[in-house]
Amino acid sequence: MTRVAIIGAAGYTALELIKILLRHPEVEITAVADQHENRPPIAMIHPSLARRLDLCAEKLTPAEIAARAECVFCCVPHGVSATLVPPLLDAGVRVIDFSADYRLDDATSYEQWYGHKHPDPERLGRTVYGLPELFRSEIPSARLVANPGCFPTSAILPLVPLIKADLIEPQGIIVDSKTGVSGAGRTPKLTTHYPECNESISAYNVGRHRHMPEIDQIIRRATGVSVEVIFTPHLVPMDRGILSTIYAVPKRSDLTEEQLLQTLRDFYQEEPFVRVVDHLPGTKDSLGTNFCDITARIVRGRVLLISCLDNLIKGASGAAVQNFNLMYGYPETTAL
Amino acid sequence: MTRVAIIGAAGYTALELIKILLRHPEVEITAVADQHENRPPIAMIHPSLARRLDLCAEKLTPAEIAARAECVFCCVPHGVSATLVPPLLDAGVRVIDFSADYRLDDATSYEQWYGHKHPDPERLGRTVYGLPELFRSEIPSARLVANPGCFPTSAILPLVPLIKADLIEPQGIIVDSKTGVSGAGRTPKLTTHYPECNESISAYNVGRHRHMPEIDQIIRRATGVSVEVIFTPHLVPMDRGILSTIYAVPKRSDLTEEQLLQTLRDFYQEEPFVRVVDHLPGTKDSLGTNFCDITARIVRGRVLLISCLDNLIKGASGAAVQNFNLMYGYPETTAL
Amino acid sequence: MTRVAIIGAAGYTALELIKILLRHPEVEITAVADQHENRPPIAMIHPSLARRLDLCAEKLTPAEIAARAECVFCCVPHGVSATLVPPLLDAGVRVIDFSADYRLDDATSYEQWYGHKHPDPERLGRTVYGLPELFRSEIPSARLVANPGCFPTSAILPLVPLIKADLIEPQGIIVDSKTGVSGAGRTPKLTTHYPECNESISAYNVGRHRHMPEIDQIIRRATGVSVEVIFTPHLVPMDRGILSTIYAVPKRSDLTEEQLLQTLRDFYQEEPFVRVVDHLPGTKDSLGTNFCDITARIVRGRVLLISCLDNLIKGASGAAVQNFNLMYGYPETTAL
Amino acid sequence: MTRVAIIGAAGYTALELIKILLRHPEVEITAVADQHENRPPIAMIHPSLARRLDLCAEKLTPAEIAARAECVFCCVPHGVSATLVPPLLDAGVRVIDFSADYRLDDATSYEQWYGHKHPDPERLGRTVYGLPELFRSEIPSARLVANPGCFPTSAILPLVPLIKADLIEPQGIIVDSKTGVSGAGRTPKLTTHYPECNESISAYNVGRHRHMPEIDQIIRRATGVSVEVIFTPHLVPMDRGILSTIYAVPKRSDLTEEQLLQTLRDFYQEEPFVRVVDHLPGTKDSLGTNFCDITARIVRGRVLLISCLDNLIKGASGAAVQNFNLMYGYPETTAL
């Protein structure tokens, strides 16, 4: 049994995380920390948790958290995370960080993309990136795990096996991604106001989304090959789900769909949460699950990859629990 | 040709109003007023108006508005409206007010339901309620018209003919209404944040929605009969549309569906925007139109009425243009 | 460990049932039966089951099913069910029937509402209605359980405690229900074609929905009091969820909201899946769970009840597993 | 005043066409033809047309249609259209054909992509493609106009000015398109059944969608340059709207966004229905209008174009009326 705490209670990833952890036979949630002054019951913040989790959201110091929990899931925004994580680690807890603060290679690229100096630059580039399919061996001993971004997972998983097998050109890879609205978080904004984004699709942050360098750097970490993907996210009127359509140039003109699919199948054959499928997957197939579905096609000589996942599960909270299971020696699929 | 101004540019009713007025052959929109300091082009506020209306949103005094327009559509919230309308009227323009400020009978009930003193109490109870189907004769000469609420229109239109014909009991009428999210306005709030209200239906403001007294008072004005409806609004995951399901006790046990339908058909046979239909209407049938669709059933001895309309058209901006046409002597259906 | 079979593989209730049973530590799914000739893998019918259930949908006789399973979940339409259930029971398996075939009191009312003679009339009125909150004691020994309808569960659970406590009049109860589209099943029809029902709400089967007599008869079974509810279902543009808004006349004019809520809380205080809440619940609060959320209000002297549940879980497959757990002596909440 | 007939009444393009034509001051709809035996009122097929169009859907011969109308809008599927159009032309009416039957260059490519021999091969390659922005001069005198496909319009309009200006490479152009569900037509299918496609996005017909050769051939007709686009359509949970995200390689490495935008602005500066915008457009901006919104970006040295339109208006019925206006000498924007 492991006692865990959650920091940042009000968001969708925290809610989804709690739902998964409530199914986990070896987890006790002992604290839910956030900035509310008046200790509201968690069910007031998330009505769906009524009768399921009887805790209040509290302001807690790192020491107080460490007194209650061995492991902390940190669900706060980037920038904030890097100020909370160091004292938590110092207090002796292990941390799974949902923010982007510990994913990039160095403080320079962090500052370039995130617009402020990194508060804890030493850990950049040395923190485990919590994508077990690529970095499983590093996770069990990690004291801090950077939980992957939702878009990066959907791009990295299909691309890495093909780059490693030297089947596609690393230049000019296009990642055209579509996401449900929960990816934008729970803070009301005009762009995610129902009558604005319902019945509409639009691209956003074109050329400057922060998941673009994350995709580049993690692919290089996993393959040793430098890439510069062209990444375009789109907002789709649905709650959850990411579909990425990826275009790449094959290295050999006689490459076949079957070779692509077999390369993917071979790479992921032992993986419990990657399904290489023959059909064209929809995001609903993996909704509410920790699966990432992948398929491949060749269209007019171009490699086309499609991946689907639930941005709140495999793209966030499910991946976090997968990392947790590896860190604490539980079967990797527990509660997932 | 009539020059018109719109006050309160950023909301959905203003947007829909502009779209209708752009189709109106006898209207020139000369000003769009709101509180923006920096005079943004209206197409920055509503991208759908690009290339369609080349005006900026400006802060304007009543005198400035009166210098440019004969008629003002006032699309600001209740409370604000009653402070803008008097100086506009004094400046010589006619006003169609979208807010609830001039709909109720008296300042006492206004204060009871809206929670503050009415800034212009003398006009309460003396202002024309702009529902042409019931009060058409009063509209042409009105200098101020109170444009009806969306829910009230959907409740009053089916009920009034049956109450006037003495077919249903005035006591215990239940109005169970369902509305799309645009009815909540354009200001982002948690309840209308996409991932909160999508894929969910909920009741809100049960027993205390401000359209409840409006329904009561207007039915009494139209029929002379006092009613106290039990009104329950629900938020439905769709952009637009109101469906009201209304339950009433018949006065005679041998009342038939055909008598109900015929009474409604007779009452509205000359009306261009009320469709008494035999089938069960959906809100999509009247989407984007100024129609109100009505049907009637008898279920286990109870009268059941169903009405559908587009909350932004017949429930707001379409009704406003219908009133405008009557006020200025244009054919009532122009642009609608 | 109990071996179970599912008949009727292609529908949404079967899919949801399989997902729940896959989480059940004491269940082995040994057969999925339906009318497909070519034994398709279940993952071809439901892509979301890829890598989760490695079975094919087969045509199986009752004897073949009985050879593989002790318990059968029968997810076929009414009319069909009553021809499959008798031979299954004869073959020695226990059956949880999702159809309406064994819910009503007698063959006469069945024929009146369902339009054909009942193929197995003797079991009508003698079959356990699988709503554990009201009939728990009858379920453990039952060989056949009639799984409740989704709308009836949403109406019966809030009404029974108040009728038993003699707080509301049994006459004139109105049940205004709103359901997501999955309740209409998986067979494509124009009314459930995406561009028809999206962005629209409509009432359907007004005065003749077959859940109306089911609500009446089960309330009478549970309370001894005869009721005739006026039931109006509406189709809402969302996948899942039912919200019922219920109106009733109180027996005493001094009845308070707190008395209503306390009566409900007392009645359900030991129930794991009924949440009596103070706030107005939305269907999303119980989405994906076996909960039914209930609250109560008094509006202008009328009792107003609101209940929410997931039509595919508490309204179908979750209730079935709850019944299964009771039948086989597992903790009632297992896998739920 | 021009008398027009519509063939193929039941679909969404016909419905939208009728709504536009009802606003057209110079059009009288004299017949609505389809295969119904029993002459249903058009309002039974489309309830939204109640009180708006008082015609029945009739089986009519070409001669009967020609006796009533000068111009026919043919809204039937490909394959059928090419059997109806020749006798209509022979009977003396002019035809605007919504199907794909007269869009391609030759019968060989038609057979390759549509899987059957073309019934009227001589007109292929000689029929005007009704995209006024590129082929306006050919339309006024045409007796048959092939109305463009919805996806092709969204791809051709942004690409042609840049190819003509020699700014982008014709090879390797990627068109990643996203469409609302109405594009799939009104016939119920599992893929467009609400609970299947709601809350999900998926790619379909990858590498074999019939709009792919249409895009190629029309771009060549308009520019003289051969292209082979890689076209991937996706189904998005919304009623209407197409957004195409287009990726191309610039011919010069110093090409700027402003040069791209200016080239587009120059090309379309006189066009009433193309809006070159600076912001990232969403499909909702052009919903219900005949606009196509276009913008351009450069991302990591790659040209990125985004276009949005309403698939039922600029992608079908609006374009048809635009063509009609040109054919009959009415102002091109009438009713649009």
Side-chain angles (χ1 to χ4, degrees):
Chain A
M1 183 69 68
T2 304
R3 292 169 304 130
V4 309
I6 297 152
I7 303 183
Y12 293 129
T13 53
L15 172 59
E16 211 56 38
L17 175 66
I18 290 170
K19 288 182 181 174
I20 297 171
L21 292 176
L22 288 172
R23 291 200 300 261
H24 199 299
E26 302 291 342
V27 163
E28 185 188 2
I29 305 175
T30 56
V32 181
D34 75 0
Q35 295 306 306
H36 283 89
E37 295 291 343
N38 52 350
R39 302 187 72 255
I42 188 72
M44 280 197 57
I45 300 172
H46 298 294
S48 61
L49 294 180
R51 295 274 294 273
R52 299 171 76 181
L53 181 63
D54 190 19
L55 285 175
C56 292
E58 308 172 76
K59 283 185 92 158
L60 295 170
T61 65
E64 289 168 327
I65 291 170
R68 291 206 216 163
E70 300 156 60
C71 181
V72 168
F73 294 88
C74 191
C75 304
V76 300
H78 64 82
V80 180
S81 224
T83 65
L84 299 181
V85 165
L88 285 165
L89 293 171
D90 291 346
V93 296
R94 298 169 79 180
V95 178
I96 298 168
D97 180 34
F98 281 56
S99 87
D101 279 353
Y102 294 98
R103 297 180 193 153
L104 295 190
D105 282 353
D106 55 68
T108 308
S109 65
Y110 184 90
E111 186 172 347
Q112 176 190 343
W113 287 92
Y114 287 84
H116 60 264
K117 279 211 180 308
H118 197 286
D120 182 27
E122 294 75 23
R123 287 193 176 85
L124 279 181
R126 294 167 32 210
T127 299
V128 178
Y129 189 79
L131 198 55
E133 290 78 5
L134 300 180
F135 305 104
R136 182 174 285 109
S137 64
E138 305 172 31
I139 297 168
S141 61
R143 298 200 54 76
L144 169 63
V145 169
N147 211 47
C150 50
F151 287 125
T153 295
S154 80
I156 295 165
L157 288 179
L159 281 167
V160 161
L162 305 186
I163 293 172
K164 278 196 156 175
D166 206 25
L167 296 180
I168 58 174
E169 298 285 352
Q171 274 76 45
I173 294 170
I174 289 165
V175 178
D176 190 283
S177 293
K178 298 89 175 168
T179 183
V181 184
S182 62
R186 203 179 179 205
T187 304
K189 289 187 289 279
L190 188 59
T191 48
T192 50
H193 185 50
Y194 188 94
E196 297 290 312
C197 61
N198 187 43
E199 292 294 296
S200 195
I201 178 169
S202 57
Y204 66 98
N205 283 358
V206 170
R208 54 195 181 76
H209 196 285
R210 290 147 169 177
H211 284 174
M212 195 150 71
E214 185 179 329
I215 297 170
D216 292 350
Q217 295 182 15
I218 302 303
I219 286 180
R220 191 177 55 216
R221 270 194 227 173
T223 66
V225 177
S226 288
V227 300
E228 277 214 335
V229 302
I230 291 132
F231 169 61
T232 314
H234 299 77
L235 192 66
V236 176
M238 58 186 192
D239 278 355
R240 291 157 72 148
I242 283 178
L243 181 145
S244 288
T245 313
I246 302 170
Y247 302 87
V249 177
K251 285 215 162 176
R252 307 191 329 255
S253 65
D254 60 349
L255 186 66
T256 65
E257 273 180 20
E258 183 47 33
Q259 286 170 322
L260 289 171
L261 286 165
Q262 193 56 47
T263 303
L264 291 165
R265 278 189 218 111
D266 290 348
F267 196 92
Y268 291 121
Q269 66 182 353
E270 303 294 328
E271 287 300 333
F273 295 122
V274 179
R275 297 190 293 198
V276 179
V277 296
D278 294 334
H279 62 271
L280 296 169
T283 55
K284 208 167 210 173
D285 302 342
S286 50
L287 188 71
T289 79
N290 200 45
F291 288 113
C292 178
D293 291 342
I294 301 175
T295 196
R297 294 289 184 276
I298 290 185
V299 177
R300 292 182 155 180
R302 186 72 54 116
V303 171
L304 190 154
L305 300 164
I306 291 176
S307 66
C308 288
L309 53 78
D310 184 327
N311 58 304
L312 293 180
I313 311 280
K314 184 59 179 166
S317 304
V321 174
Q322 194 180 352
N323 284 314
F324 168 82
N325 286 334
L326 288 166
M327 290 164 75
Y328 287 88
Y330 302 122
E332 190 171 337
T333 60
T334 309
L336 293 171
Chain B
M1 184 69 67
T2 306
R3 292 169 304 129
V4 308
I6 296 152
I7 304 183
Y12 294 128
T13 54
L15 171 59
E16 211 57 38
L17 175 67
I18 289 170
K19 289 181 182 174
I20 298 171
L21 292 175
L22 288 172
R23 292 199 300 262
H24 199 299
E26 302 291 343
V27 162
E28 184 188 3
I29 305 175
T30 57
V32 181
D34 73 1
Q35 295 306 305
H36 283 89
E37 295 290 345
N38 53 350
R39 299 186 75 254
I42 188 72
M44 280 198 56
I45 300 171
H46 298 295
S48 62
L49 293 180
R51 294 274 294 274
R52 299 170 76 181
L53 180 64
D54 190 19
L55 284 176
C56 293
E58 308 172 76
K59 283 185 92 157
L60 294 171
T61 64
E64 290 168 327
I65 291 170
R68 293 206 217 163
E70 299 156 60
C71 181
V72 169
F73 294 89
C74 192
C75 304
V76 300
H78 63 84
V80 181
S81 224
T83 66
L84 298 180
V85 165
L88 285 165
L89 293 171
D90 291 347
V93 297
R94 298 169 80 179
V95 179
I96 298 167
D97 180 34
F98 282 55
S99 86
D101 279 354
Y102 294 98
R103 297 179 194 155
L104 295 191
D105 281 352
D106 54 68
T108 308
S109 64
Y110 183 89
E111 187 172 346
Q112 175 191 344
W113 287 92
Y114 287 84
H116 60 264
K117 280 210 179 308
H118 197 286
D120 182 26
E122 295 74 24
R123 286 193 178 85
L124 279 181
R126 295 166 32 208
T127 299
V128 177
Y129 190 79
L131 197 55
E133 290 78 5
L134 299 180
F135 306 103
R136 182 173 284 109
S137 64
E138 305 172 31
I139 297 168
S141 62
R143 298 201 54 76
L144 169 63
V145 169
N147 211 47
C150 50
F151 287 124
T153 295
S154 79
I156 295 165
L157 287 179
L159 281 167
V160 160
L162 305 187
I163 294 172
K164 277 196 157 174
D166 206 25
L167 296 180
I168 58 174
E169 298 285 352
Q171 273 76 46
I173 295 170
I174 289 165
V175 179
D176 189 283
S177 293
K178 298 88 175 169
T179 182
V181 184
S182 62
R186 203 179 179 206
T187 305
K189 290 186 288 281
L190 187 60
T191 48
T192 50
H193 186 50
Y194 188 92
E196 297 289 312
C197 62
N198 186 43
E199 293 293 296
S200 196
I201 178 169
S202 56
Y204 66 99
N205 284 357
V206 170
R208 54 198 181 75
H209 196 286
R210 289 146 169 177
H211 284 173
M212 195 152 70
E214 185 178 331
I215 297 170
D216 292 348
Q217 295 181 17
I218 302 304
I219 286 179
R220 191 177 55 215
R221 270 193 229 174
T223 66
V225 178
S226 288
V227 300
E228 276 215 334
V229 302
I230 290 132
F231 169 61
T232 314
H234 300 77
L235 193 66
V236 176
M238 59 186 193
D239 278 355
R240 292 157 72 149
I242 284 177
L243 181 144
S244 289
T245 313
I246 302 171
Y247 302 88
V249 176
K251 285 215 163 178
R252 308 193 328 256
S253 65
D254 60 349
L255 187 66
T256 65
E257 274 181 19
E258 183 46 34
Q259 286 170 323
L260 290 171
L261 286 165
Q262 195 55 49
T263 302
L264 292 164
R265 278 188 218 112
D266 290 348
F267 196 93
Y268 291 120
Q269 68 181 352
E270 303 294 328
E271 287 301 331
F273 295 121
V274 179
R275 299 190 291 200
V276 179
V277 297
D278 294 333
H279 62 271
L280 295 169
T283 55
K284 207 166 210 172
D285 301 343
S286 50
L287 188 71
T289 80
N290 200 45
F291 288 113
C292 178
D293 291 342
I294 301 175
T295 196
R297 294 289 184 276
I298 290 186
V299 177
R300 292 183 155 178
R302 186 73 54 117
V303 170
L304 191 155
L305 299 164
I306 292 176
S307 66
C308 289
L309 53 79
D310 184 327
N311 59 303
L312 294 180
I313 311 281
K314 184 58 179 167
S317 305
V321 174
Q322 195 180 352
N323 284 314
F324 168 83
N325 287 333
L326 289 166
M327 289 164 75
Y328 286 88
Y330 302 123
E332 190 171 337
T333 60
T334 309
L336 293 171
Chain C
M1 184 68 69
T2 305
R3 293 168 305 130
V4 309
I6 296 152
I7 303 183
Y12 293 128
T13 53
L15 172 59
E16 211 57 38
L17 175 66
I18 290 170
K19 289 180 181 172
I20 298 171
L21 292 176
L22 288 171
R23 293 199 301 261
H24 199 300
E26 303 291 341
V27 163
E28 183 188 3
I29 304 175
T30 57
V32 181
D34 75 0
Q35 295 306 305
H36 283 87
E37 295 291 342
N38 52 350
R39 301 186 75 251
I42 189 71
M44 281 196 56
I45 301 171
H46 298 295
S48 61
L49 294 180
R51 295 274 294 272
R52 299 172 76 183
L53 181 63
D54 190 19
L55 284 176
C56 293
E58 307 172 76
K59 283 186 91 158
L60 295 172
T61 64
E64 289 168 328
I65 291 170
R68 292 205 216 163
E70 299 156 60
C71 181
V72 169
F73 294 89
C74 192
C75 304
V76 299
H78 63 82
V80 181
S81 223
T83 65
L84 298 180
V85 165
L88 286 165
L89 294 172
D90 290 346
V93 297
R94 298 169 80 179
V95 178
I96 297 167
D97 181 34
F98 281 56
S99 87
D101 279 353
Y102 295 97
R103 297 178 194 154
L104 295 191
D105 282 353
D106 55 69
T108 308
S109 65
Y110 184 90
E111 187 172 347
Q112 177 191 343
W113 287 92
Y114 287 84
H116 60 264
K117 281 212 178 306
H118 197 286
D120 182 26
E122 294 74 23
R123 286 192 178 85
L124 281 180
R126 296 164 33 206
T127 299
V128 177
Y129 190 79
L131 198 56
E133 290 79 6
L134 300 180
F135 306 104
R136 182 173 286 110
S137 65
E138 305 172 31
I139 296 169
S141 61
R143 298 202 53 78
L144 169 64
V145 169
N147 210 49
C150 50
F151 287 124
T153 295
S154 80
I156 294 165
L157 287 178
L159 280 168
V160 160
L162 305 187
I163 293 172
K164 277 196 157 174
D166 207 26
L167 296 180
I168 58 174
E169 297 285 352
Q171 273 76 47
I173 295 170
I174 289 166
V175 178
D176 190 283
S177 293
K178 299 88 175 167
T179 182
V181 184
S182 61
R186 204 179 179 207
T187 304
K189 290 187 288 283
L190 187 60
T191 47
T192 50
H193 186 51
Y194 187 93
E196 296 290 312
C197 62
N198 187 43
E199 291 294 296
S200 194
I201 178 170
S202 57
Y204 66 100
N205 284 356
V206 171
R208 54 195 181 77
H209 196 287
R210 290 147 168 176
H211 284 174
M212 195 150 71
E214 185 178 331
I215 297 169
D216 291 349
Q217 296 181 17
I218 303 303
I219 287 180
R220 192 178 54 214
R221 271 194 228 174
T223 66
V225 178
S226 288
V227 300
E228 275 215 336
V229 302
I230 291 133
F231 169 62
T232 313
H234 299 77
L235 192 67
V236 176
M238 59 186 192
D239 279 354
R240 291 156 72 149
I242 284 177
L243 181 145
S244 289
T245 314
I246 301 171
Y247 302 88
V249 176
K251 284 216 162 177
R252 308 191 331 254
S253 65
D254 60 348
L255 185 68
T256 66
E257 273 180 19
E258 183 47 33
Q259 286 169 322
L260 289 172
L261 286 165
Q262 194 55 48
T263 303
L264 291 165
R265 277 188 219 111
D266 291 347
F267 195 92
Y268 290 120
Q269 68 181 351
E270 303 293 328
E271 288 299 331
F273 295 121
V274 178
R275 300 190 291 199
V276 179
V277 298
D278 293 335
H279 62 270
L280 295 170
T283 55
K284 208 166 209 172
D285 301 343
S286 50
L287 189 69
T289 80
N290 200 46
F291 288 114
C292 178
D293 291 343
I294 301 175
T295 197
R297 294 290 184 277
I298 290 185
V299 178
R300 292 184 155 178
R302 186 73 53 117
V303 170
L304 191 154
L305 301 164
I306 291 177
S307 66
C308 289
L309 53 79
D310 184 326
N311 58 303
L312 293 180
I313 311 281
K314 185 58 178 167
S317 304
V321 174
Q322 194 179 352
N323 284 314
F324 168 83
N325 286 334
L326 289 166
M327 289 165 74
Y328 287 88
Y330 302 123
E332 190 171 337
T333 60
T334 309
L336 293 171
Chain D
M1 182 69 68
T2 305
R3 292 168 305 131
V4 309
I6 296 152
I7 303 183
Y12 293 128
T13 54
L15 171 59
E16 211 57 38
L17 175 66
I18 290 170
K19 288 181 182 174
I20 298 171
L21 292 176
L22 288 172
R23 293 200 299 261
H24 199 299
E26 302 291 341
V27 162
E28 183 189 1
I29 304 175
T30 58
V32 181
D34 75 2
Q35 295 306 305
H36 283 87
E37 295 292 343
N38 52 349
R39 302 187 73 252
I42 189 71
M44 279 197 58
I45 300 171
H46 298 295
S48 62
L49 294 180
R51 295 274 295 271
R52 300 171 76 182
L53 181 63
D54 190 18
L55 284 176
C56 294
E58 307 172 77
K59 284 186 88 159
L60 295 171
T61 64
E64 289 169 327
I65 292 171
R68 292 204 215 163
E70 300 157 61
C71 181
V72 169
F73 295 89
C74 192
C75 304
V76 300
H78 64 81
V80 181
S81 223
T83 65
L84 298 180
V85 165
L88 285 164
L89 294 170
D90 291 346
V93 297
R94 297 169 80 180
V95 178
I96 298 168
D97 181 33
F98 282 56
S99 87
D101 279 353
Y102 295 97
R103 297 179 194 154
L104 295 191
D105 282 352
D106 55 68
T108 308
S109 65
Y110 183 89
E111 187 173 346
Q112 176 191 343
W113 287 92
Y114 286 84
H116 61 264
K117 281 212 178 308
H118 197 286
D120 182 26
E122 294 74 24
R123 286 192 177 86
L124 279 181
R126 295 165 33 208
T127 299
V128 177
Y129 190 79
L131 197 56
E133 290 79 6
L134 300 180
F135 307 104
R136 181 173 285 109
S137 64
E138 304 173 32
I139 296 168
S141 61
R143 298 201 53 77
L144 169 63
V145 169
N147 211 50
C150 49
F151 287 124
T153 295
S154 80
I156 295 165
L157 287 178
L159 281 168
V160 160
L162 305 187
I163 292 172
K164 278 197 156 173
D166 207 26
L167 295 180
I168 58 174
E169 298 285 353
Q171 273 76 46
I173 294 169
I174 289 165
V175 178
D176 190 283
S177 294
K178 298 88 175 168
T179 182
V181 184
S182 62
R186 204 181 180 206
T187 305
K189 289 186 288 280
L190 187 60
T191 47
T192 50
H193 185 51
Y194 188 93
E196 296 289 312
C197 62
N198 187 44
E199 292 294 295
S200 195
I201 178 170
S202 56
Y204 65 99
N205 284 357
V206 170
R208 54 196 182 76
H209 196 287
R210 289 146 169 178
H211 284 173
M212 193 151 71
E214 185 178 331
I215 297 169
D216 292 350
Q217 295 182 17
I218 302 304
I219 287 179
R220 192 177 54 214
R221 272 195 227 173
T223 66
V225 178
S226 287
V227 300
E228 275 215 335
V229 302
I230 291 134
F231 169 61
T232 313
H234 299 77
L235 192 67
V236 177
M238 58 186 193
D239 278 354
R240 292 156 72 148
I242 284 178
L243 180 145
S244 289
T245 314
I246 302 171
Y247 302 88
V249 176
K251 285 216 163 177
R252 307 190 332 253
S253 64
D254 60 349
L255 186 67
T256 66
E257 273 180 18
E258 183 47 34
Q259 287 169 322
L260 289 171
L261 285 165
Q262 195 56 47
T263 303
L264 291 165
R265 277 188 219 110
D266 291 348
F267 195 92
Y268 290 120
Q269 68 181 350
E270 303 293 330
E271 288 300 331
F273 295 121
V274 178
R275 299 190 291 200
V276 179
V277 297
D278 293 334
H279 62 271
L280 295 169
T283 55
K284 208 166 209 173
D285 301 343
S286 49
L287 189 69
T289 80
N290 200 46
F291 288 113
C292 178
D293 291 343
I294 300 175
T295 197
R297 294 290 184 276
I298 290 184
V299 177
R300 292 183 155 178
R302 186 73 52 117
V303 171
L304 191 154
L305 300 165
I306 291 176
S307 66
C308 289
L309 53 79
D310 184 327
N311 59 303
L312 293 180
I313 310 282
K314 184 59 178 167
S317 304
V321 174
Q322 195 179 352
N323 284 315
F324 168 84
N325 287 333
L326 289 166
M327 289 165 75
Y328 287 88
Y330 302 122
E332 189 170 338
T333 60
T334 309
L336 292 170

